Amino acid sequence: MRLTPREFDILHLLAGRPGVVFSPEELYERVWGEPLINANTVMVHIRKIREKVERDPRDPAVIRTVWGVGYKAEDVPHG
């Protein structure tokens, strides 16, 4: 699994605060360093990350969507 630098930054932000929901606007502003222009940009990056880290990207266990709010990382035990 190879993440792009931007994908890594998004995953690092989410995984660093498991359970905290980040809106697409907040994710974009924190990762890209500027105001959100198009929410599809965040959605596409999340989809690509899921394809790389999830067992089943259509039923994600690591990065969850909180409908109408944003995205969060689950606290996944290692082992």
Side-chain angles (χ1 to χ4, degrees), residues 8-78:
F8 177 84
D9 290 345
I10 293 168
L11 185 57
H12 185 261
L13 177 61
L14 292 172
R17 308 265 321 264
V20 174
V21 180
F22 290 89
S23 70
E25 294 83 8
E26 187 174 6
L27 280 171
Y28 194 90
E29 288 173 9
R30 287 180 177 230
V31 173
W32 277 263
E34 57 189 52
L36 177 67
I37 297 169
N38 185 344
N40 285 334
T41 301
V42 174
M43 185 176 63
V44 168
H45 278 77
I46 294 292
R47 180 179 49 82
K48 289 181 178 182
I49 294 167
R50 284 177 173 157
E51 289 171 356
K52 295 175 182 180
V53 304
E54 300 280 1
R55 285 183 193 253
D56 180 359
R58 291 175 288 153
D59 185 22
V62 177
I63 299 176
R64 300 278 183 146
T65 299
V66 179
W67 295 107
V69 182
Y71 303 96
K72 68 177 183 172
E74 294 294 337
D75 192 8
V76 179
H78 301 286

